[in-house]
Amino acid sequence: MRSLIGPTPACLLVLLPSVCPTAATLSIRVPLSVRCRASIWNQRASKGPLMRLSTLFLSLLALVLQEAGPASLPEKEQRRREEQSHYGESDPYSELHVGSYMVSPDDYSEVIDLSSYEELADYGDQLAEVKVTSLAPPTRISPTQSKVTPGTPLSNPTMTKPTLPGPLGSPASHGLPTCLVCVCLGSSVYCDDIDLENIPPLPRMTTYLYARFNRISHIRTRDFKGLTKLKRIDLTSNFISSIDNDALRLLPALQDLILPENQLVALPLLPSGIEFLDVRLNRLRSSGIQREAFRALEKLQFLYLADNQLDSIPWPLPLSLRSLHLQNNMIKTMQTDAFCDPVEHRHTRRPLEDIRLDGNPINLSLFPSAYFCLPRLPIGRFT
């Protein structure tokens, strides 16, 4: 610019920002002494025709500076603006080196061989074979053995249902161990309402079993084999129609046998230590109860046989019995010694305070000698 208009007076540099806004952004530095002299000159020049001349000259100077534009900028400022304009127009991702990450559609054949999927089998209803033989850690596979060559079809693995040793050796429902199908809390096993069709394999420490509201139809001898600590079996509301004769007899700790709402027509042999027997709401008949089946049950206290098809009172009954429920059967008669010994009149049965015969066609008033040893008369029809 100096080559065009020559040296610029200091006074013009001071007046320049007020006259031309464009020139105000040019960052022209003027020494303080020059500014002071220029301001004094401005005050003197404001009186007279020289003011008009300076105004015209300054207007001309503003036009010249506007024409010059960025050419008059300092070198550093001009370089900074050029860099900003360069970055604004360029692609911000152009500097990224992603050549090693680019995968073309033609390269997918080397990564995944889609043709091998046609040879895969359907394993929907098969389970992997699990064999537990020891507690040794699993064999490690070296990296060279774990590599799979791309493009090699996968071989069909052999799959069978899981097998576990010990008390859970045979598979339970759906091929899973019992404590995954049922709920095991301590020595109690709860298998309620899970659509079981058989008694599942139970842990040897099982003390209480609850398998109510299922579809169990038969109890086998092996179902409770070896369960020497089993005290209670509750199979309420199943479809049990038969029980193997030795399925329960060999359970030395069994105290409570609860089988209501099933389809039993006969009772199996029972262990001598049983105390509570509930076979209500079945199809039990008198011919299905073995003769003297209850005599050996010296600890039996509660015998519930209501809502069956019995036509006589089971006999003989153990002296330990406290409650006998026979209501809603087909009993029409009874023996004189059904409850008491007709020869020994001093014989009494004080524990037996609860006898129910209501809902039967029998007239209890016809058998007065059958009740003399009882603390209370049976509940039933006396007319």
Side-chain angles (χ1 to χ4, degrees), residues 9-28:
C11 62
L12 295 182
L13 296 177
V14 174
L15 295 176
L16 183 60
S18 62
V19 176
C20 181
T22 305
T25 62
L26 300 181
S27 303
I28 301 176

Side-chain angles (χ1 to χ4, degrees), residues 56 70 93 114 120 189 236-237 246 257 322 366:
L56 294 175
Y93 299 101
L114 299 180
L120 295 180
V189 179
T236 301
S237 190
D246 292 334
L257 180 59
R322 298 174 55 186
L366 300 176

Side-chain angles (χ1 to χ4, degrees), residues 24-317:
T25 62
L26 300 181
S27 303
I28 301 176
R29 298 181 180 179
V30 181
L32 180 61
S33 59
V34 177
R35 294 184 211 175
C36 296
R37 293 175 185 174
S39 62
I40 297 174
W41 187 86
N42 287 339
Q43 292 177 0
R44 293 177 180 178
S46 62
K47 299 178 182 180
L50 185 60
M51 181 63 181
R52 298 178 182 176
L53 180 61
S54 62
T55 302
L56 294 175
F57 181 77
L58 290 175
S59 300
L60 179 60
L61 180 61
L63 294 175
V64 173
L65 291 175
Q66 189 172 4
E67 291 289 338
S72 60
L73 290 175
E75 183 179 354
K76 293 183 179 180
E77 181 69 18
Q78 185 174 359
R79 185 183 305 169
R80 183 180 65 83
R81 293 194 177 188
E82 289 178 357
E83 291 177 356
Q84 290 181 355
S85 62
H86 172 69
Y87 290 145
E89 296 175 358
S90 62
D91 185 4
Y93 299 101
S94 61
E95 299 297 329
L96 296 179
H97 301 281
V98 294
S100 60
Y101 296 95
M102 299 299 292
V103 181
S104 63
D106 298 334
D107 297 333
Y108 278 99
S109 59
E110 300 180 1
V111 180
I112 301 176
D113 186 5
L114 299 180
S115 62
S116 62
Y117 281 88
E118 298 178 357
E119 302 181 6
L120 295 180
D122 183 11
Y123 307 122
D125 54 352
Q126 299 184 13
L127 295 173
E129 182 178 2
V130 179
K131 293 185 178 180
V132 181
T133 56
S134 65
L135 297 179
T139 304
R140 295 184 179 179
I141 301 176
S142 61
T144 57
Q145 294 178 351
S146 62
K147 292 182 179 180
V148 179
T149 304
T152 303
L154 298 176
S155 60
N156 295 338
T158 303
M159 292 188 176
T160 59
K161 293 185 178 180
T163 56
L164 298 175
L168 298 180
S170 56
S173 177
H174 310 296
L176 297 175
T178 299
C179 290
L180 293 181
V181 178
C182 306
V183 177
C184 298
L185 297 176
S187 60
S188 299
V189 179
Y190 298 87
C191 302
D192 293 340
D193 199 11
I194 56 174
D195 292 332
L196 289 178
E197 296 182 356
N198 295 289
I199 300 294
L202 300 173
R204 295 189 184 277
M205 301 300 294
T206 302
T207 304
Y208 302 96
L209 170 64
Y210 300 89
R212 299 165 291 194
F213 313 107
N214 286 289
R215 300 179 178 275
I216 302 172
S217 60
H218 178 67
I219 297 179
R220 301 160 296 185
T221 301
R222 67 174 182 271
D223 288 341
F224 302 116
K225 186 177 182 179
L227 302 179
T228 57
K229 297 187 178 182
L230 188 59
K231 293 182 178 180
R232 173 178 292 180
I233 299 175
D234 190 346
L235 300 175
T236 301
S237 190
N238 277 273
F239 296 91
I240 302 173
S241 59
S242 61
I243 301 175
D244 287 353
N245 214 26
D246 292 334
L248 305 173
R249 183 175 62 88
L250 301 178
L251 299 177
L254 187 62
Q255 297 177 355
D256 302 338
L257 180 59
I258 306 171
L259 301 170
E261 300 181 30
N262 280 282
Q263 301 175 8
L264 286 172
V265 295
L267 288 179
L269 292 176
L270 300 172
S272 58
I274 195 166
E275 300 178 4
F276 185 95
L277 178 59
D278 186 356
V279 200
R280 294 175 294 114
L281 296 166
N282 276 267
R283 301 175 182 178
L284 195 60
R285 300 177 181 178
S286 296
S287 59
I289 301 177
Q290 300 182 23
R291 184 175 178 82
E292 299 186 358
F294 301 116
R295 180 190 288 273
L297 306 182
E298 298 179 354
K299 297 182 179 180
L300 183 62
Q301 300 183 31
F302 303 92
L303 179 56
Y304 298 150
L305 303 174
D307 297 282
N308 279 282
Q309 301 176 12
L310 300 177
D311 56 12
S312 63
I313 297 175
W315 179 89
L317 298 171

